[in-house]
Amino acid sequence: MILVLNGPNLGRLGKREPSIYGADTYEDLVNLCRETAGKLGHDVDVRQTDSEAELIGWIHEACDGAIPVVLNPAAFTHYSYALRDAIAQRTAPLIEVHISNPAAREEFRHTSVVAGVATGTIAGFGLQSYVLALHAISEMNTTS
Ligand code: DQA
């Protein structure tokens, strides 16, 4: 099992600033993750929330079950120390993903408080960032 967790505003993909995030919808993202995980032989649970508390609860669930995570923390990336502290408790891989390349955008997006406690970060490849992250987790061979 792999958890794919998405933070605030990502449920609005397709409608949200398409010049930055593309025309594909959140449903397209869910289908892409399911298709990719299926090909790799893994079950996947794809979730999205606008709530920091709910996202942290899902990270706790992943920590307790040693479940690998692909995480797009969205804007929480840049300021949520609570999310960072939750991720720091993990034992399984967690890959931070971004659709856009935050390093090429506004200054406030250049800081990730999550990156230092993630296994690694994949950013700037559109929805393919998730595909690459699922492949990376699969290669790490820690899922059942
Ligand atoms: C994002 C980048 C963040 O800076 C932004 O707040 C998002 C989406 C991305 O996937 O490119 O909501 O995480």
Side-chain angles (χ1 to χ4, degrees):
M1 164 67 78
I2 302 171
L3 278 176
V4 178
L5 304 180
N6 292 284
N9 296 302
L10 290 167
R12 295 182 56 79
L13 284 176
K15 290 183 262 201
R16 176 190 184 196
E17 298 179 275
S19 60
I20 296 172
Y21 298 111
D24 289 333
T25 64
Y26 176 70
E27 201 188 340
D28 293 330
L29 172 63
V30 173
N31 290 335
L32 179 64
C33 290
R34 287 190 183 144
E35 197 181 297
T36 304
K39 282 185 197 155
L40 295 169
H42 300 295
D43 290 331
V44 74
D45 188 352
V46 188
R47 306 179 191 172
Q48 190 273 328
T49 182
D50 294 333
S51 154
E52 187 178 19
E54 188 168 32
L55 186 57
I56 288 169
W58 291 343
I59 296 292
H60 292 165
E61 184 186 328
C63 292
D64 290 346
I67 303 167
V69 176
V70 174
L71 172 66
N72 187 341
F76 294 146
T77 307
H78 312 301
Y79 66 89
S80 177
Y81 296 120
L83 181 62
R84 180 195 165 97
D85 285 353
I87 296 167
Q89 300 166 47
R90 70 180 176 78
T91 52
L94 180 144
I95 303 192
E96 177 187 353
V97 297
H98 299 283
I99 297 167
S100 67
N101 177 3
R105 299 180 61 195
E106 302 96 317
E107 189 88 33
F108 76 90
R109 297 186 202 274
H110 297 182
T111 298
S112 169
V113 301
V114 166
V117 288
T119 307
T121 302
I122 299 172
F125 297 93
L127 297 192
Q128 288 299 313
S129 293
Y130 292 77
V131 172
L132 294 168
L134 286 166
H135 277 266
I137 282 187
S138 187
E139 285 295 321
M140 293 177 81
N141 207 18
T142 54
T143 58
S144 50

